[in-house]
Amino acid sequence: MISTRDLSGLLPVDLLKRIMQSMAMLDAILSPEWEYRYYSFNVKWAPEEQMGSMRNGSGDDLFALFNAHGCFIKGFDHEALMSPYGRQPKAVWPGVLDAVPKAFERGLSEPAFAMEDTTFCIWRQYGDEQWHRGVIEFPPPKLRFDGAPLDPDGSGDLLSPYDGNPVTYLAWAIYRFGGLTGENLTLEHVQHVYDHKPLTAELVREINPELPLGDLDGDIEEIGYPRRGAKKD
Protein backbone atom coordinates (compact mmCIF):
# COMPACT_ATOMS: atom_id res chain seq x y z
CA MET A 1 0.00 0.00 0.00
CA ILE A 2 1.24 3.47 -0.88
CA SER A 3 1.49 5.76 2.14
CA THR A 4 3.73 8.48 3.55
CA ARG A 5 5.71 5.73 5.27
CA ASP A 6 6.34 3.96 1.97
CA LEU A 7 6.07 6.18 -1.13
CA SER A 8 8.03 3.85 -3.41
CA GLY A 9 4.89 2.74 -5.25
CA LEU A 10 3.74 6.25 -6.14
CA LEU A 11 4.29 7.13 -9.80
CA PRO A 12 6.75 9.80 -10.99
CA VAL A 13 5.27 13.26 -11.53
CA ASP A 14 4.33 13.11 -15.22
CA LEU A 15 2.95 9.58 -15.02
CA LEU A 16 0.93 10.52 -11.96
CA LYS A 17 -0.55 13.47 -13.84
CA ARG A 18 -1.61 11.19 -16.71
CA ILE A 19 -3.27 8.76 -14.33
CA MET A 20 -5.08 11.56 -12.53
CA GLN A 21 -6.36 12.84 -15.87
CA SER A 22 -7.48 9.32 -16.80
CA MET A 23 -9.31 8.79 -13.52
CA ALA A 24 -11.03 12.16 -13.90
CA MET A 25 -12.08 11.26 -17.46
CA LEU A 26 -13.50 7.91 -16.38
CA ASP A 27 -15.41 9.59 -13.56
CA ALA A 28 -16.82 12.13 -16.01
CA ILE A 29 -18.21 9.26 -18.10
CA LEU A 30 -19.55 7.31 -15.14
CA SER A 31 -20.92 10.34 -13.30
CA PRO A 32 -21.92 13.15 -15.70
CA GLU A 33 -23.00 15.39 -12.81
CA TRP A 34 -19.77 16.98 -11.57
CA GLU A 35 -20.83 17.35 -7.93
CA TYR A 36 -21.10 13.56 -7.55
CA ARG A 37 -17.63 12.74 -8.88
CA TYR A 38 -14.69 11.63 -6.77
CA TYR A 39 -11.86 12.51 -9.15
CA SER A 40 -11.32 15.69 -11.17
CA PHE A 41 -8.54 17.41 -13.06
CA ASN A 42 -8.14 20.96 -14.33
CA VAL A 43 -5.40 21.46 -16.90
CA LYS A 44 -5.92 25.24 -16.78
CA TRP A 45 -6.15 25.61 -13.00
CA ALA A 46 -3.90 28.69 -12.98
CA PRO A 47 -1.14 30.17 -15.18
CA GLU A 48 1.54 27.45 -15.50
CA GLU A 49 -0.29 25.23 -12.98
CA GLN A 50 -2.53 22.18 -13.24
CA MET A 51 -4.52 20.55 -10.47
CA GLY A 52 -5.86 17.09 -9.76
CA SER A 53 -8.21 16.38 -6.88
CA MET A 54 -10.28 13.81 -5.04
CA ARG A 55 -13.29 14.44 -2.81
CA ASN A 56 -15.14 11.43 -1.45
CA GLY A 57 -18.20 13.25 -0.13
CA SER A 58 -17.48 12.13 3.42
CA GLY A 59 -15.13 14.95 4.34
CA ASP A 60 -11.86 13.57 2.96
CA ASP A 61 -9.93 15.19 0.11
CA LEU A 62 -6.68 15.22 -1.82
CA PHE A 63 -5.24 18.00 -3.99
CA ALA A 64 -2.26 17.67 -6.33
CA LEU A 65 -0.65 20.83 -7.71
CA PHE A 66 1.50 20.38 -10.82
CA ASN A 67 3.84 23.14 -11.98
CA ALA A 68 7.16 23.57 -13.79
CA HIS A 69 9.03 22.28 -10.73
CA GLY A 70 7.09 19.08 -10.12
CA CYS A 71 4.15 18.11 -7.92
CA PHE A 72 2.89 18.93 -4.42
CA ILE A 73 0.14 16.81 -2.82
CA LYS A 74 -1.98 17.68 0.21
CA GLY A 75 -4.38 15.19 1.77
CA PHE A 76 -6.95 15.21 4.55
CA ASP A 77 -8.59 12.21 6.24
CA HIS A 78 -11.13 13.46 8.76
CA GLU A 79 -10.87 10.27 10.83
CA ALA A 80 -7.06 10.16 10.96
CA LEU A 81 -5.26 10.29 14.29
CA MET A 82 -3.23 13.19 12.90
CA SER A 83 -6.27 15.32 12.08
CA PRO A 84 -5.84 18.98 13.08
CA TYR A 85 -9.21 18.69 14.80
CA GLY A 86 -7.73 16.26 17.30
CA ARG A 87 -5.37 18.89 18.72
CA GLN A 88 -6.09 21.81 21.02
CA PRO A 89 -5.88 24.39 19.66
CA LYS A 90 -6.56 23.07 16.16
CA ALA A 91 -3.26 22.72 14.25
CA VAL A 92 -1.64 20.65 11.50
CA TRP A 93 0.55 17.89 12.95
CA PRO A 94 4.16 19.04 13.54
CA GLY A 95 6.49 18.45 10.60
CA VAL A 96 3.80 17.77 7.99
CA LEU A 97 4.18 21.14 6.22
CA ASP A 98 7.47 22.40 7.63
CA ALA A 99 9.78 21.23 4.83
CA VAL A 100 7.69 21.95 1.73
CA PRO A 101 10.08 23.44 -0.88
CA LYS A 102 9.72 27.04 -2.00
CA ALA A 103 8.81 25.74 -5.47
CA PHE A 104 5.39 24.79 -4.08
CA GLU A 105 4.82 27.63 -1.63
CA ARG A 106 1.80 28.92 -3.58
CA GLY A 107 0.01 25.70 -2.76
CA LEU A 108 0.44 26.37 0.94
CA SER A 109 -1.63 29.53 0.63
CA GLU A 110 -4.20 28.32 -1.90
CA PRO A 111 -7.67 28.79 -0.32
CA ALA A 112 -9.20 25.94 -2.33
CA PHE A 113 -6.80 23.45 -0.74
CA ALA A 114 -7.86 24.32 2.84
CA MET A 115 -4.35 23.71 4.12
CA GLU A 116 -5.52 24.14 7.68
CA ASP A 117 -7.26 20.78 7.15
CA THR A 118 -4.23 18.63 6.32
CA THR A 119 -3.18 15.23 7.63
CA PHE A 120 -0.35 14.57 5.15
CA CYS A 121 1.71 16.37 2.53
CA ILE A 122 4.24 15.04 0.02
CA TRP A 123 6.14 16.47 -2.94
CA ARG A 124 8.52 15.59 -5.75
CA GLN A 125 10.52 17.94 -7.94
CA TYR A 126 11.75 17.04 -11.39
CA GLY A 127 15.17 15.53 -10.90
CA ASP A 128 14.25 13.95 -7.56
CA GLU A 129 14.59 10.18 -7.44
CA GLN A 130 11.72 9.79 -4.98
CA TRP A 131 8.79 11.48 -3.26
CA HIS A 132 9.42 13.36 -0.02
CA ARG A 133 7.62 14.27 3.18
CA GLY A 134 8.57 16.24 6.25
CA VAL A 135 10.32 14.88 9.32
CA ILE A 136 7.40 13.58 11.37
CA GLU A 137 7.04 11.75 14.66
CA PHE A 138 4.03 9.58 13.93
CA PRO A 139 1.66 8.61 16.75
CA PRO A 140 1.15 4.88 17.42
CA PRO A 141 -1.37 3.65 14.84
CA LYS A 142 -4.76 2.27 15.65
CA LEU A 143 -5.54 -1.27 14.51
CA ARG A 144 -8.17 -2.31 12.01
CA PHE A 145 -10.69 -5.04 12.78
CA ASP A 146 -8.26 -7.58 11.29
CA GLY A 147 -5.36 -6.39 13.40
CA ALA A 148 -3.56 -4.50 10.62
CA PRO A 149 -2.34 -0.99 11.51
CA LEU A 150 -4.16 2.03 10.13
CA ASP A 151 -2.11 4.91 8.77
CA PRO A 152 -2.29 7.65 11.39
CA ASP A 153 -2.42 10.31 8.65
CA GLY A 154 -4.88 8.52 6.34
CA SER A 155 -2.40 8.56 3.45
CA GLY A 156 -2.74 4.86 2.69
CA ASP A 157 -6.39 5.05 1.72
CA LEU A 158 -6.04 8.33 -0.20
CA LEU A 159 -2.81 7.66 -2.11
CA SER A 160 -3.15 3.95 -2.97
CA PRO A 161 -5.70 4.49 -5.78
CA TYR A 162 -2.95 6.29 -7.74
CA ASP A 163 -0.85 3.17 -8.32
CA GLY A 164 -1.37 3.31 -12.10
CA ASN A 165 -3.01 -0.12 -12.19
CA PRO A 166 -6.31 -0.20 -14.14
CA VAL A 167 -7.51 -3.09 -11.96
CA THR A 168 -7.42 -0.77 -8.93
CA TYR A 169 -9.74 1.75 -10.56
CA LEU A 170 -12.05 -0.93 -11.97
CA ALA A 171 -12.54 -2.54 -8.55
CA TRP A 172 -13.28 0.85 -7.00
CA ALA A 173 -15.72 1.86 -9.75
CA ILE A 174 -17.68 -1.40 -9.51
CA TYR A 175 -17.95 -0.91 -5.76
CA ARG A 176 -18.79 2.81 -6.10
CA PHE A 177 -21.35 2.64 -8.91
CA GLY A 178 -22.59 -0.90 -8.45
CA GLY A 179 -25.64 -1.72 -10.56
CA LEU A 180 -25.66 1.69 -12.22
CA THR A 181 -23.01 2.43 -14.85
CA GLY A 182 -20.30 0.58 -12.94
CA GLU A 183 -21.48 -2.82 -14.15
CA ASN A 184 -20.80 -1.80 -17.78
CA LEU A 185 -17.17 -0.85 -17.17
CA THR A 186 -14.53 -3.38 -18.19
CA LEU A 187 -10.79 -3.63 -17.70
CA GLU A 188 -10.38 -2.93 -21.43
CA HIS A 189 -12.29 0.35 -21.06
CA VAL A 190 -10.12 1.46 -18.15
CA GLN A 191 -6.93 0.45 -19.95
CA HIS A 192 -8.00 2.45 -23.01
CA VAL A 193 -8.39 5.60 -20.91
CA TYR A 194 -5.27 4.94 -18.83
CA ASP A 195 -3.36 4.74 -22.14
CA HIS A 196 -4.78 8.17 -23.06
CA LYS A 197 -6.29 6.86 -26.27
CA PRO A 198 -8.90 9.29 -27.66
CA LEU A 199 -12.48 8.59 -26.71
CA THR A 200 -14.92 7.21 -29.25
CA ALA A 201 -18.70 7.36 -29.21
CA GLU A 202 -18.78 3.57 -29.05
CA LEU A 203 -16.57 3.34 -25.98
CA VAL A 204 -18.51 6.02 -24.11
CA ARG A 205 -21.81 4.34 -25.01
CA GLU A 206 -20.55 0.97 -23.77
CA ILE A 207 -19.64 2.47 -20.39
CA ASN A 208 -22.65 4.76 -20.03
CA PRO A 209 -25.40 4.06 -22.59
CA GLU A 210 -27.21 7.31 -21.76
CA LEU A 211 -24.24 9.61 -22.39
CA PRO A 212 -23.44 10.96 -25.88
CA LEU A 213 -19.76 11.64 -26.54
CA GLY A 214 -20.55 15.27 -27.37
CA ASP A 215 -21.71 15.86 -23.80
CA LEU A 216 -18.14 15.34 -22.65
CA ASP A 217 -16.63 18.18 -24.68
CA GLY A 218 -16.32 20.51 -21.70
CA ASP A 219 -14.85 17.78 -19.48
CA ILE A 220 -12.33 16.75 -22.15
CA GLU A 221 -11.14 20.35 -22.43
CA GLU A 222 -10.93 20.90 -18.67
CA ILE A 223 -9.14 17.61 -18.03
CA GLY A 224 -6.79 18.03 -20.99
CA TYR A 225 -7.63 14.57 -22.32
CA PRO A 226 -6.64 13.90 -25.98
CA ARG A 227 -9.25 14.60 -28.64
CA ARG A 228 -7.55 13.30 -31.79
CA GLY A 229 -9.69 10.77 -33.60
CA ALA A 230 -12.75 11.27 -31.42
CA LYS A 231 -16.11 11.24 -33.19
CA LYS A 232 -19.29 12.74 -31.86
CA ASP A 233 -22.70 11.09 -32.10
Side-chain angles (χ1 to χ4, degrees):
M1 174 180 285
I2 302 169
S3 75
T4 52
R5 291 181 291 179
D6 182 4
L7 292 165
S8 60
L10 191 60
L11 300 169
V13 173
D14 287 339
L15 289 178
L16 178 64
K17 181 170 70 174
R18 282 175 59 91
I19 290 301
M20 285 191 163
Q21 288 175 299
S22 298
M23 294 166 76
M25 194 71 258
L26 285 162
D27 261 26
I29 299 171
L30 289 163
S31 183
E33 296 185 41
W34 191 92
E35 60 268 26
Y36 298 119
R37 298 177 194 173
Y38 267 47
Y39 300 107
S40 63
F41 197 93
N42 191 333
V43 75
K44 297 179 180 179
W45 167 251
E48 300 182 357
E49 291 182 343
Q50 301 177 353
M51 189 270 288
S53 66
M54 184 287 300
R55 299 176 182 85
N56 66 6
S58 298
D60 305 329
D61 61 47
L62 179 146
F63 294 94
L65 180 70
F66 297 88
N67 63 19
H69 303 284
C71 178
F72 154 91
I73 298 176
K74 167 264 180 180
F76 175 68
D77 179 340
H78 76 285
E79 294 184 335
L81 285 175
M82 291 168 57
S83 170
Y85 293 91
R87 308 184 71 215
Q88 295 297 331
K90 177 187 172 185
V92 176
W93 194 269
V96 171
L97 300 176
D98 296 348
V100 176
K102 187 175 182 179
F104 306 118
E105 63 182 358
R106 205 190 78 77
L108 295 174
S109 60
E110 170 54 56
F113 296 172
M115 294 302 298
E116 68 277 8
D117 292 347
T118 297
T119 53
F120 69 89
C121 182
I122 61 174
W123 56 87
R124 183 169 179 172
Q125 298 189 69
Y126 290 115
D128 288 350
E129 294 184 356
Q130 61 187 10
W131 289 86
H132 301 277
R133 61 165 171 81
V135 178
I136 301 166
E137 184 176 343
F138 290 97
K142 291 183 179 179
L143 299 180
R144 296 192 318 187
F145 66 91
D146 58 1
L150 289 167
D151 283 302
D153 60 3
S155 58
D157 286 339
L158 298 186
L159 289 174
S160 290
Y162 301 106
D163 61 2
N165 187 343
V167 173
T168 302
Y169 182 89
L170 178 63
W172 172 82
I174 292 174
Y175 170 79
R176 170 75 174 92
F177 297 99
L180 302 175
T181 53
E183 67 180 9
N184 301 320
L185 191 68
T186 68
L187 186 59
E188 289 72 23
H189 294 144
V190 180
Q191 187 68 64
H192 181 107
V193 179
Y194 268 39
D195 289 341
H196 271 214
K197 296 178 180 178
L199 301 181
T200 64
E202 180 181 9
L203 180 135
V204 172
R205 189 182 302 111
E206 287 176 359
I207 298 172
N208 187 344
E210 298 182 359
L211 182 67
L213 175 58
D215 286 4
L216 292 169
D217 282 350
D219 294 303
I220 291 171
E221 182 176 356
E222 179 174 288
I223 294 168
Y225 193 83
R227 287 181 175 272
R228 179 176 55 82
K231 297 180 180 179
K232 298 181 181 179
D233 286 347

